[in-house]
Amino acid sequence: MKIYSQTQIVGAMEMNVAAQRLVDGFIAYSRGQVQVPPVQNFIFGQANGDCCVKSAWIEGSEHFTVKISTGFYDNPAKGLPSNDGMMLVLSAKTGQPRALLQDEGWLTCIRTALAGQIVARALAPRVITGIGILGTGVQARMQLEQLMALTSCRRLTVWGRNHMALESYREFATSLGFEVETTQDAEQVARHANLIVTTTPSREALLQRAWIQPGTHITAVGADGGGKQELDVDLVASAEVIVVDSIEQCRRYGEISHALKQGLIRQEQLIELGWLLAGETRGRENDQQITLADLTGVAVQDAQIADYAMQACAEALPGL
């Protein structure tokens, strides 16, 4: 079994190739060509942390993947990263482990950020006048980096709870060439941006329907487990296009689960991302529509990103 470190993995991968692998995975998932066992979730309330275990196999693939991902959100105050984890790639023919990817959670973060870029390409308005980010952590940074290939807009409004974290994010985004406004009022994000990404572990709604401009696209990635919520249910219900990475998963948790439980939307309204990417359904039809992508993270993403990371590392480091 090969063992690869985060540094080796990051150095070996090309983001455009990784993104295409994810697109292929989403399409295979929506076409029923992927085995995805139920997600295991742990909640550590006393430590403000959670852990999920995800696994997947695409029919015909030589490998399957088991991923462990943790999020302990008080860690930065302790000098530790909030996210961690690893992925194990095994042979689908013999069951033998092929590679341990000690990515420290990086692969989970980058596959989520790339998914954000993929849905923004499909759903964002033609003219992006401002980008809004809710959150100041690793995912908030990665999402912004991946959006740079999508748009020339460099006007950014970022929301966070902590002043020091906001200032750190300002320095990061400014170094990328953005004109940055920081705020602790989420309404300001909605008023200044028509492409918004929410990346927090919040358990209460942060964005309200009344604040959202016509034509805005929202990518929600924070609500990846039970009880999490970043969007008001009325905002979800008002979206004219609702795309989800997995209908089955998003029914149980994620932004749309709250609106479904209250009867504000119907399952028939939901568009699975793989269908959209395969051209089997239509997404945004005009620049006045509010569109929403609810990304809870599907294990097929882990299988695809891990398989590519193993391949890329083997090619870049043949002597290991």
Side-chain angles (χ1 to χ4, degrees):
M1 179 179 69
K2 302 292 186 180
I3 300 176
Y4 298 114
S5 69
Q6 183 193 84
T7 300
Q8 291 168 328
I9 294 166
V10 173
M13 292 175 59
E14 297 181 19
M15 290 302 102
N16 61 327
V17 178
Q20 186 57 52
R21 293 289 185 95
L22 293 180
V23 169
D24 295 342
F26 282 125
I27 292 173
Y29 177 81
S30 292
R31 289 178 173 171
Q33 298 167 343
V34 185
Q35 288 189 30
V36 178
V39 178
Q40 292 179 269
N41 285 298
F42 297 88
I43 304 296
F44 306 101
Q46 76 284 359
N48 191 22
D50 54 56
C51 172
C52 73
V53 181
K54 295 182 177 181
S55 54
W57 176 65
I58 298 179
E59 292 178 7
S61 173
E62 294 184 1
H63 307 108
F64 67 98
T65 296
V66 178
K67 186 272 294 282
I68 299 173
S69 177
T70 63
F72 281 71
Y73 306 106
D74 294 337
N75 275 3
K78 304 172 185 177
L80 300 170
S82 57
N83 296 105
D84 211 325
M86 64 186 70
M87 297 191 184
L88 181 63
V89 183
L90 303 100
S91 170
K93 295 181 179 180
T94 67
Q96 293 179 305
R98 293 292 309 280
L100 176 62
L101 305 175
Q102 294 183 322
D103 64 297
E104 302 173 37
W106 183 83
L107 285 169
T108 295
C109 289
I110 194 61
R111 61 83 152 149
T112 303
L114 287 169
Q117 182 199 92
I118 289 165
V119 296
R121 285 190 185 280
L123 295 172
R126 286 175 297 174
V127 178
I128 298 171
T129 57
I131 296 172
I133 301 286
L134 268 65
T136 56
V138 172
Q139 188 57 217
R141 296 183 180 218
M142 284 188 168
Q143 288 284 339
L144 186 64
E145 288 173 330
Q146 295 307 317
L147 288 177
M148 293 178 69
L150 171 69
T151 175
S152 61
C153 177
R154 295 295 182 263
R155 181 170 176 257
L156 171 68
T157 306
V158 58
W159 172 92
R161 301 184 190 276
N162 181 281
H163 178 72
M164 289 182 63
L166 281 171
E167 286 308 303
S168 177
Y169 196 96
R170 181 200 296 275
E171 293 178 9
F172 157 76
T174 299
S175 72
L176 297 179
F178 283 89
E179 176 187 335
V180 185
E181 177 182 354
T182 62
T183 181
Q184 292 181 297
D185 180 0
E187 182 176 356
Q188 295 305 309
V189 175
R191 298 298 188 192
H192 296 160
N194 64 347
L195 172 56
I196 301 173
V197 186
T198 65
T199 71
T200 79
S202 178
R203 292 182 174 269
E204 60 183 12
L206 300 174
L207 284 180
Q208 303 295 322
R209 167 64 185 95
W211 306 341
I212 305 300
Q213 304 177 58
T216 296
H217 169 70
I218 302 169
T219 299
V221 304
D224 59 354
K228 294 182 181 181
Q229 181 180 11
E230 297 180 289
L231 309 182
D232 177 69
V233 290
D234 291 330
L235 169 54
V236 174
S238 71
E240 288 136 300
V241 179
I242 304 175
V243 172
V244 297
D245 51 9
S246 165
I247 290 177
E248 174 61 28
Q249 199 162 279
C250 290
R251 285 191 312 172
R252 291 181 282 116
Y253 52 83
E255 296 301 336
I256 63 101
S257 67
H258 306 288
L260 276 173
K261 290 171 184 175
Q262 295 186 32
L264 298 176
I265 60 174
R266 306 182 316 279
Q267 184 172 317
E268 292 72 25
Q269 294 175 246
L270 308 179
I271 299 170
E272 206 161 71
L273 179 55
W275 302 337
L276 182 65
L277 298 175
E280 297 172 9
T281 187
R282 300 178 68 178
R284 175 183 290 276
E285 297 184 354
N286 62 67
D287 280 346
Q288 292 302 302
Q289 290 180 311
I290 293 174
T291 60
L292 167 64
D294 189 7
L295 303 180
T296 54
V298 187
V300 69
Q301 296 170 254
D302 302 314
Q304 288 291 83
I305 203 81
D307 194 67
Y308 170 54
M310 180 181 68
Q311 175 190 338
C313 285
E315 293 174 354
L317 305 162
L320 288 183

